[in-house]
Structure formats: C-alpha cells, structure tokens
Amino acid sequence: MNKKIIVIGSTNLDLVFQTENFPKPGETIKSKDFSMLSGGKGSNQAIAASRLGGNVSFISKIGNDDFGQRSIKELNLSKVNCDYVFTDHEAVSGVAVILINEKGENSIVMAPGANNLLSVSDIDNASPIIKNAAIILIQLEISIDTVKYLLKTVASSESKIIFNPAPMHLLDDWMYAKIYLITPNESESESLTGIKITDIETASQAADYFLNKGVKNVVITLGAKGAFFKNKDEEFHIPAKKVKVVDTTGAGDVFNGALAVALGESKNWREIIKFAIAASTISVGKLGAQTASPYRSEIISNN
Ligand code: RIB
C-alpha cells in the first residue's frame, strides 16, 4: 500500500567543492572541481522517498530567488508534491558550502536563510495534509520551535514520526515520547545519549537510552558498518556492502527517505533496514545528494 509520507524540513542550494584535503585554519586551497546542486536534508529526504516509490508531500520554506526555484524544479521532476513549500519574500534560500575530500568524506557549513522562517503558522496552514499523513519525516535544519510545535500538534494523530536528529540539537525529554522511530548517526547518538559507540554492545546501550525516554524504535546508522536497530522486542545489526565511496553527502538522507517508504509498505524491521542500507549504499557511489539519490529500479537491480 502506498501510504502518504510528509517530509518537513530544509531546502538548500549546495555549493560543492571537491578538494584533496580539508583546509587548515588560515590556509587557502584550490578546489579540483565545483558544482552547484540542490540539497538540504528535508528536500533530499523528500526526493529520496519519492524516487523509491513513496507518495510524498514536502513542507519547507525557500527565498524568492533562483536557488529556491532550482530546488522546486528538482522536487517537481522527482514527483514530490510542493503545494506547501512556502516562499519568504525577504530572506534568501538556504545555502550549504560542502567540501568533499579524496576519501569522499564531507565537511558542511549551512546558512539556513528562509529555512529558519518556516513558522508555526506555516505548519497550521499545512495541517490538513499533516493530519492525514501515515508517516511524517522530520530533521533539524529548520527552527527547533517549529519542530516542537509540530510534534505537539500532530501528537494526537495516528502518524508515525520518523525523527532524524541532524544536525544535532539537544531535545526536551517530552519530545522523545512522540517519536516512533529515531535515526541518529554515531556522533548524534553520542551527543544525545553521552554514550560513545564503539561496538554493537555500546550501540545497544545508546538505543536503550532512547527507548527508556519513550521512543518506540531506534536505528543508529553506522556509516560503512551499516546500521543497528532496537525496539522492545528485538535488536540486530545489519552490515553494509563494501563499495567505492565517491561522496557520502546525503547518504543519511537517502537512508531516512528509504525508511519512510519501507515503513509505509508494512515490511518487517529487518527488511526495512536492509532496504534503507541498500539505497544509501548506492548513493555514496556518486557525487552530490539529490544527484546520487537512487530510483526504486536501481535497488532491485543491485540486490
Ligand atoms: O545531508 C546533506 C545535506 O546537508 C546537504 O544537501 C546540505 O544542504 C546540508 O544541509
């Protein structure tokens, strides 16, 4: 069944520099290559979910500029419903400066711009579709007050909330109880729980922290090592296939988008996590976030 997925979050223009190494403080380095690509965690996750077969609507805010229009074009091409992508006429659209080193690792600085202005009244305006969502996918590149309002507003509905705590921001205790599935990476998990993940046992301890706070299900992404899942009934680790890494930017976004799709298809947890790992593994083989986001047919032919 193709359940309605709502993604709420950021839209950015990514300025991507491919360099040998990251510059040290005070150093100027030359980039080997440069690209301007549509990005933003929210927009990336919406596109990932839609390309993988989800029925996706996106709630976001852009500036009245070319950057924002460029992002809308990409979202439309990927069949994401943008009826609730609002435009602020004063602010600029979000921008991210992304450095990719030779190992495919990235370093990102983001200027939120209009993303910070996605307000509680925008959420109220979009409430008809939020109330009807089967799955709501949220990250933290928008104002935390808007995220809090959203969690409170939708709390009474039947929606399953997937919460990707990226970039890291400390959460109030009450927020955890609203979350159906939390998806931190290792460093976000450590910042939220205080537990450093060094192996499966410590991943399990970190997952317990979230479960004890009231989250129903936990997936901790482990980069090239795959992902760890835990809820009250089961826990397991699924490793990732070894592949040549070109750029890891947006791999977490593809993972989250894929989780939303698989969750809507009533797969079991192992199948859901395997599907998300397969999708994100494909995405690290290409440059960029949305440019590397796979279509459903690619997952089938890769597995
Ligand atoms: O997760 C990757 C995204 O983070 C990039 O597209 C960039 O816009 C930053 O927000």
Side-chain angles (χ1 to χ4, degrees), residues 56-108:
V56 183
S57 292
F58 184 41
I59 301 173
S60 188
K61 191 164 249 180
I62 56 173
N64 186 18
D65 49 34
D66 288 349
F67 291 179
Q69 286 314 313
R70 205 178 159 126
S71 294
I72 296 287
K73 202 170 144 200
E74 290 299 331
L75 287 154
N76 285 335
L77 279 174
S78 292
K79 300 191 168 46
V80 174
N81 179 305
C82 293
D83 288 355
Y84 290 94
V85 175
F86 302 98
T87 301
D88 186 278
H89 290 272
E90 307 289 322
V92 288
S93 294
V95 177
V97 170
I98 304 182
L99 306 187
I100 318 280
N101 71 11
E102 278 193 329
K103 293 184 210 152
E105 296 165 333
N106 64 48
S107 188
I108 303 181

Side-chain angles (χ1 to χ4, degrees), residues 16-23 29 32 98-107 245-249 287:
V16 183
F17 297 82
Q18 287 171 271
T19 60
E20 229 167 274
N21 297 301
F22 298 138
I29 57 170
K32 290 192 291 181
I98 304 182
L99 306 187
I100 318 280
N101 71 11
E102 278 193 329
K103 293 184 210 152
E105 296 165 333
N106 64 48
S107 188
V245 175
V246 174
D247 176 13
T248 55
T249 310
L287 181 78

Side-chain angles (χ1 to χ4, degrees), residues 12 14 39-41 44 96 98 108 141 249-250 253 289:
N12 294 336
D14 291 351
K41 294 187 194 304
N44 296 345
I98 304 182
I108 303 181
E141 282 186 335
T249 310
D253 298 328

Side-chain angles (χ1 to χ4, degrees), residues 231-275:
N231 66 11
K232 69 176 176 28
D233 302 315
E234 57 179 331
E235 64 182 292
F236 54 84
H237 166 232
I238 299 203
K241 263 206 235 167
K242 285 208 179 352
V243 290
K244 185 177 171 337
V245 175
V246 174
D247 176 13
T248 55
T249 310
D253 298 328
V254 170
F255 185 91
N256 278 276
L259 279 182
V261 173
L263 193 59
E265 293 175 357
S266 311
K267 295 175 190 287
N268 67 43
W269 282 112
R270 275 183 190 272
E271 286 172 343
I272 291 170
I273 310 301
K274 274 187 188 164
F275 181 76

Side-chain angles (χ1 to χ4, degrees), residues 24-292:
K24 297 182 195 71
E27 189 185 14
T28 301
I29 57 170
K30 272 190 185 168
S31 173
K32 290 192 291 181
D33 227 322
F34 170 74
S35 320
M36 283 208 286
L37 303 169
S38 299
K41 294 187 194 304
S43 185
N44 296 345
Q45 294 183 13
I47 283 183
S50 186
R51 288 188 186 169
L52 292 169
N55 176 2
V56 183
S57 292
F58 184 41
I59 301 173
S60 188
K61 191 164 249 180
I62 56 173
N64 186 18
D65 49 34
D66 288 349
F67 291 179
Q69 286 314 313
R70 205 178 159 126
S71 294
I72 296 287
K73 202 170 144 200
E74 290 299 331
L75 287 154
N76 285 335
L77 279 174
S78 292
K79 300 191 168 46
V80 174
N81 179 305
C82 293
D83 288 355
Y84 290 94
V85 175
F86 302 98
T87 301
D88 186 278
H89 290 272
E90 307 289 322
V92 288
S93 294
V95 177
V97 170
I98 304 182
L99 306 187
I100 318 280
N101 71 11
E102 278 193 329
K103 293 184 210 152
E105 296 165 333
N106 64 48
S107 188
I108 303 181
V109 182
M110 182 224 174
N115 292 302
N116 261 352
L117 303 176
L118 184 70
S119 63
V120 296
S121 66
D122 295 325
I123 298 300
D124 283 340
N125 285 335
S127 69
I129 60 161
I130 298 176
K131 298 271 181 225
N132 281 325
I135 293 159
I136 296 175
L137 181 51
I138 318 172
Q139 337 68 34
L140 293 174
E141 282 186 335
I142 55 173
S143 147
I144 190 73
D145 291 336
T146 302
V147 172
K148 287 181 184 176
Y149 182 74
L150 183 71
L151 288 178
K152 277 199 177 123
T153 316
V154 296
S156 61
S157 78
E158 296 297 300
S159 312
K160 289 178 175 164
I161 296 176
I162 304 178
F163 193 92
N164 177 219
M168 213 301 288
H169 192 290
L170 289 177
L171 307 179
D172 296 348
D173 269 356
W174 67 265
M175 296 168 80
Y176 287 103
K178 310 278 184 198
I179 299 172
Y180 180 74
L181 173 62
I182 196 164
T183 62
N185 64 18
E186 290 162 288
S187 78
E188 289 147 7
S189 175
E190 182 179 349
S191 305
L192 290 170
T193 67
I195 298 167
K196 185 170 179 56
I197 298 179
T198 51
D199 52 20
I200 298 305
E201 205 180 314
T202 42
S204 179
Q205 287 165 10
D208 282 339
Y209 174 94
F210 295 118
L211 295 174
N212 290 334
K213 294 259 181 205
V215 174
K216 310 275 180 312
N217 303 282
V218 181
V219 182
I220 301 174
T221 56
L222 307 170
K225 298 188 288 302
F228 175 81
F229 174 83
K230 187 165 186 174
N231 66 11
K232 69 176 176 28
D233 302 315
E234 57 179 331
E235 64 182 292
F236 54 84
H237 166 232
I238 299 203
K241 263 206 235 167
K242 285 208 179 352
V243 290
K244 185 177 171 337
V245 175
V246 174
D247 176 13
T248 55
T249 310
D253 298 328
V254 170
F255 185 91
N256 278 276
L259 279 182
V261 173
L263 193 59
E265 293 175 357
S266 311
K267 295 175 190 287
N268 67 43
W269 282 112
R270 275 183 190 272
E271 286 172 343
I272 291 170
I273 310 301
K274 274 187 188 164
F275 181 76
I277 291 178
S280 54
T281 302
I282 293 173
S283 76
V284 302
K286 290 185 205 155
L287 181 78
Q290 297 176 13
T291 39

